[in-house]
Amino acid sequence: MKKPVLLSFIFLIAYFFQIQYAFANEPVGLTIKLTSGYIQGKSDKSGIKSFKGIPFAAPPVGNLRWKAPAPVVAWEGVKSCQAFGPSAIQAPPAPFYMWSEEFLIPKEPINEDCLYLNVWTNAKKTTDKKPVIVWIHGGGFSSGGASVPIYDGEKLAAKGVVYVSINYRVGIFGFFAHPELSKESPMHASGNYGLLDQIAALQWVKSNIAKFGGDPNNVTIAGQSAGSMAVVSLIASPLAKGLFQKAIAESGAGLLPRNPLVSKQALVGPKESEEQGKKAMESIGLQNLDQMRAVPAEELRKKASMRSGVIVDGYYLPESIEVIFNQKKQNKVHLLTGWNEDEGLVMGPYKKADAFKSDIEKQYGKYASELLKHYPATNDSLAVNSQNRLSRDLVFGAPNFILANLHSAQGHPVFVYRFTRVVPAYGEYKKFKAFHTGEVPYALNTLHLVNRPWEKEDWGLANTMSSYWVNFAKSGNPNVKGLPDWPAFNSKSLEILQLDKQVEKRKIPDAASLNFFYQQVYLN
């Protein structure tokens, strides 16, 4: 090749790579081109950019009701993404028990067309490759949404992550299984539509998050309560392979049923879920799927009553979560998990000591005497305390403890916390203490959005917890210079981090009670 031709070729290659670099290194502005079209967000005074109501799948309405999420329909022009999309169809939100309005979705919009997500970022360029946190809301798989005030992403984005919150179908729209649905499905499975929505959202993140300065290969999924159970099911699901590298599971694991000493089957299987679906259809007097899909969404919500939750469907979950973990088939991720001190779901009236002991003996048979050693009822006052602790441990403590043991025993990094801070409150809310969901505004640093008599220590705890969460997303290890050491968990040392006015590592205080469930269910 002659010298002038060679030089021209070199300049051409250099120009090509310069152009490629320029496109790859473009600034993160308020107008972004996604795979489906242009969107426009907004910026606050601190420079955090937010993009709300981004569609990540086609509206699951009409013939798409009870089908896996379809690809989002591309649009022309620039779509304004400055307000949350509708929450999934559910009962109108109203404060109850310990949950004031800051813990609930807005009263509107609520719509079956609900597959939207939201992004907050402080990235300057698309090459920043910031870690990504994808938040999955709670609500018992029958309520909730990404627009709940305490899930706001501004403060975590300010600490250096790209924060994403997602919607998914809930209730009968997200978890309705039926033989006809399984028959029409290419996967021969039905019922886990809300979970498939989460897969679709994570696939969207994989394809698009770099445009917001996020790293598609450094994604942490996080959730609380049902959101935490969804996180654990995603760790177990082969469909989620490669979509995330770390997981945060707050107060929910889904590895145990409510009575783990009576039945070892934690989740509903395909036959049982399809039978429940048939009963739901019969209860509203309909005969087939065409009729079911023709019923207006709000009418269907009011008329149909059924269980909502994870199903071992043979597709999203080929086997139960506990079997997948025991066979070491789960996705290999770093895990941060824990639960709260006072999140038992017994709201009263409480049973007297004799009645509580009698119920334990009837329900647990050969395990009763040992169980009463861990949850004693020698007097009425002690029986009340034991009912609260047992409720907490059956639903949250034991499942998350077992999750930590199973995952860490296989060599995966695990970090466990116990949130014990009595959340400040007014009036009737004072009695709920370190309640279920109470840790979320601390972890997401959103105390400023909750009407509570916060003390100086609460602001400090929120800053500390959110720093742990962000650093875990960055590196897979929550430890941050200047904060108390958080030791990795293992079944021998049983060390955890206690989150309270004083943050400190300690041995898990009720290990004997929790080990009782672990040994009976998994080690026998």
Side-chain angles (χ1 to χ4, degrees), residues 414-426:
V414 177
F415 298 87
V416 177
Y417 70 85
R418 178 75 70 88
F419 180 84
T420 60
R421 170 60 173 149
V422 174
V423 181
Y426 298 110

Side-chain angles (χ1 to χ4, degrees), residues 51 89 129 160-161 208 214 227 244 312 361 450 457 462:
F51 304 81
I89 287 287
K129 288 193 173 182
V161 301
N208 292 282
F244 59 93
V312 182
E361 289 165 355
V450 184
E457 292 87 351

